[in-house]
Amino acid sequence: MTSTDIAPMEEGPSKGLDQISLLSSDERLKGRPRLCSDCGFCDSSLKLLMSQTCTFVRNQTRGIEQRLHGRTRQAGEEGRFGIYRAMYAARMARPNPNAQWTGMVTALGARLLEQDKVDAVITTAAAPGTRFKAQPILAHTPQEVLATAGNKPCLSPALSLIDAVRDQGIKRLAVVGTGCQVHQLRAAEAELGLERLYVIGIPCSDNVSYTDLEYFLTQVSKSPETVVHHEFMQDFSLWMRHEDGHVERLNYIDFPMDKLHGIFPSSCLSCFDYANTLSDITIGYMGAPLGWQWVMVRTSTGEELFEMLRPELEIGELTESGDRNRGMPRYMERLSHPPGQKRPPMPIRKLVAMLQRTRGPKGLEFARAVIEMKLLRNLNYVRSKFPKFESRVVPDHVYETLAPYAELYEQTFGRPLARTATEPSSEG
Ligand SMILES: Cc1cc2nc3c(=O)[nH]c(=O)nc-3n(C[C@H](O)[C@H](O)[C@H](O)COP(=O)(O)OP(=O)(O)OC[C@H]3O[C@@H](n4cnc5c(N)ncnc54)[C@H](O)[C@@H]3O)c2cc1C
């Protein structure tokens, strides 16, 4: 692929900066709920189930957890990370150079096929002629899965393949998906007619449509058309690797938020499952030291998956330092201002970036900080843009996890953190 394959649009995001993106006025999404992450389920013949299965219509985390684990999550660490049996820092001893990190996810999909544990794997490839446009595929061979290594950092309608699974009589399936896809899949699991399902989850947050991804890159990179890999790193900066191998870095504090405001879909800003808590195994990076992957084994199926890969893994150490609580007052203060403000002056940004890097939370504490901030930001987003949805889409664990900040919340936003008595949770 050459740089000319990508024609970044510099004129602006797919919608006006103050409009909510990906509402059902978008042609392909007509008739869908007002919060839609285009998970693909509504492209399938099961779409009539959507009102009972979509996380953005009614969050069913509690019921699904009860079914998967025989219990619901406890407040505290499980409130942030979900229920897990084991947590690791791990990486492939022989990393796949095409992978997003070391290639644990695609290696798992490939091994499942090699060992005849599944008939097919739903995974996300790049659309022909593009580097990053998500195109979900139903892979039947290990090679097909391995060819999908690397993030396509935009919304992927992976569940549109449900009909292909049913048409091909597939009974043993693995799915690689984000939290919204996994919620949908779990809620509809009984209707899929599968004998075996392996769910490999990746953490996810603030995803964007493909056109908005192109726009985003024009705003953050000096050479958007040559970016071949990018990741939001644990050192408070975005790393962008280019075709010639050099890595461009941009501190989070240097993001031009006034130009980015509005590109994130309303669904992603109403998501409360960063850690993909309903998967069998979650494989990300955020809670692990730089260079390692962060793994949460959640179910007995997840244990089977991890053990399958263990001979190929190096196991590292999960560490943590810093205190996430220190940053919360400033974060709330920033959230209380209207979105899309101009950046602070350069010397202040430099100082903040240095302080974040040297004194900010690290390791698992970094993961806790990020998850709590996203829970808080998204709760406020739902409250301001979709207040009637709060009782349906905000699960109870959000309030429980944020409870230590309740007083600060009330002082900053002038309303209680807790759900009002007139709006009981639909989680039951
Ligand atoms: C949009 C997005 C946001 C993410 N945000 C975070 C985060 O905040 N914190 C964190 O710890 N991890 C996050 N991840 C996960 C992380 O970047 C890696 O994908 C993960 O750690 C697996 O790395 P790997 O080397 O094992 O994957 P690889 O072996 O390279 O495989 C990547 C897998 O991801 C799948 N995939 C690629 N793009 C998509 C997509 N758009 N939708 C669904 N599946 C896709 C592919 O099908 C493939 O199976 C995010 C991933 C995506 C796609």
Side-chain angles (χ1 to χ4, degrees):
M1 176 172 318
T2 65
S3 56
T4 49
D5 292 328
I6 298 175
M9 31 172 303
E10 285 174 44
E11 61 276 14
S14 62
K15 293 246 181 140
L17 283 176
D18 274 309
Q19 284 176 281
I20 296 166
S21 59
L22 264 191
L23 281 183
S24 51
S25 55
D26 288 313
E27 200 48 47
R28 214 185 132 255
L29 307 177
K30 278 227 165 88
R32 302 221 188 145
R34 275 163 65 76
L35 299 175
C36 175
S37 64
D38 198 11
C39 73
F41 190 80
C42 291
D43 294 326
S44 81
S45 54
L46 293 181
K47 68 177 173 217
L48 289 177
L49 285 179
M50 177 274 292
S51 62
Q52 298 154 51
T53 52
C54 176
T55 189
F56 301 116
V57 175
R58 190 166 68 85
N59 188 302
Q60 294 170 53
T61 300
R62 202 180 255 274
I64 298 172
E65 277 180 348
Q66 187 66 44
R67 173 158 60 83
L68 287 179
H69 303 284
R71 68 177 180 88
T72 56
R73 69 181 71 183
Q74 292 163 357
E77 203 74 321
E78 288 186 352
R80 291 175 283 266
F81 299 154
I83 297 175
Y84 57 90
R85 297 175 178 208
M87 190 188 278
Y88 301 95
R91 64 184 175 205
M92 297 298 288
R94 292 176 55 209
N96 174 352
N98 299 319
Q100 186 64 20
W101 283 82
T102 70
M104 289 179 65
V105 167
T106 38
L108 263 183
R111 297 301 165 267
L112 283 167
L113 283 163
E114 276 161 18
Q115 298 178 22
D116 193 29
K117 295 202 177 226
V118 297
D119 307 308
V121 179
I122 292 183
T123 180
T124 294
T130 76
R131 188 171 280 142
F132 289 134
K133 187 170 186 188
Q135 180 166 306
I137 61 160
L138 191 57
H140 298 83
T141 65
Q143 294 72 22
E144 280 177 296
V145 179
L146 291 172
T148 67
N151 283 359
K152 274 52 77 176
C154 53
L155 301 170
S156 169
L159 300 185
S160 60
L161 292 165
I162 284 176
D163 281 353
V165 169
R166 284 151 58 106
D167 292 349
Q168 293 176 25
I170 287 165
K171 295 286 175 203
R172 302 173 308 156
L173 179 72
V175 177
V176 178
T178 55
C180 53
Q181 294 165 348
V182 169
H183 181 288
Q184 183 74 263
L185 187 72
R186 290 295 195 197
E189 195 172 339
E191 309 300 321
L192 301 177
L194 296 171
E195 287 160 11
R196 198 77 178 95
L197 174 64
Y198 293 88
V199 182
I200 304 166
I202 49 178
C204 181
S205 140
D206 300 349
N207 211 342
V208 288
S209 66
Y210 179 62
T211 34
D212 287 336
L213 168 69
E214 289 185 299
Y215 169 74
F216 171 77
L217 289 175
T218 65
Q219 299 304 308
V220 294
S221 173
K222 294 190 180 106
S223 171
E225 63 279 12
T226 59
V227 175
V228 292
H229 179 282
H230 66 89
E231 191 66 275
F232 294 81
M233 300 298 264
Q234 302 98 315
D235 66 352
F236 298 86
S237 72
L238 172 68
W239 292 21
M240 294 165 278
R241 195 170 73 233
H242 290 266
E243 284 168 350
D244 64 3
H246 91 274
V247 176
E248 180 185 5
R249 296 183 194 186
L250 184 71
N251 292 326
Y252 294 158
I253 187 79
D254 291 328
F255 276 32
M257 291 315 289
D258 54 329
K259 303 220 174 71
L260 298 178
H261 164 61
I263 68 166
F264 301 112
S266 45
S267 52
C268 298
L269 295 173
S270 309
C271 164
F272 299 94
D273 193 16
Y274 194 128
N276 209 325
T277 53
L278 304 177
S279 63
D280 290 310
I281 189 169
T282 299
I283 305 181
Y285 63 92
M286 193 181 50
L290 218 57
W292 292 86
Q293 293 196 247
W294 181 41
V295 183
M296 276 172 283
V297 176
R298 302 188 182 281
T299 62
S300 57
T301 301
E303 285 177 332
E304 180 189 339
L305 288 167
F306 190 76
E307 290 311 316
M308 194 186 307
L309 212 53
R310 194 191 279 272
E312 299 176 60
L313 294 177
E314 287 173 2
I315 309 286
E317 217 180 300
L318 286 163
T319 55
E320 57 180 270
S321 64
D323 176 5
R324 68 186 184 284
N325 299 308
R326 283 178 47 195
M328 201 46 127
R330 244 193 88 72
Y331 184 70
M332 281 203 202
E333 215 261 319
R334 272 197 6 240
L335 268 188
S336 68
H337 296 306
Q341 305 159 79
K342 286 230 173 278
R343 291 177 290 194
M346 174 64 109
I348 295 188
R349 298 207 307 270
K350 273 194 160 159
L351 178 70
V352 172
M354 192 269 288
L355 289 174
Q356 283 180 326
R357 215 159 276 149
T358 52
R359 302 216 196 140
K362 294 194 176 57
L364 284 174
E365 188 67 357
F366 176 78
R368 292 183 195 110
V370 171
I371 288 175
E372 287 181 355
M373 285 176 186
K374 303 274 174 178
L375 292 180
L376 184 88
R377 184 200 64 182
N378 292 10
L379 172 65
N380 272 15
Y381 179 81
V382 171
R383 285 183 163 179
S384 70
K385 299 280 186 197
F386 298 96
K388 291 202 180 116
F389 290 14
E390 181 175 345
S391 61
R392 288 190 283 112
V393 305
V394 185
D396 293 339
H397 68 256
V398 173
Y399 306 94
E400 288 157 10
T401 305
L402 297 175
Y405 309 108
E407 209 180 306
L408 186 60
Y409 185 96
E410 193 154 355
Q411 278 165 16
T412 314
F413 302 111
R415 63 176 292 179
L417 169 74
R419 215 194 290 271
T420 57
T422 50
E423 286 200 335
S425 157
S426 65
E427 285 196 294

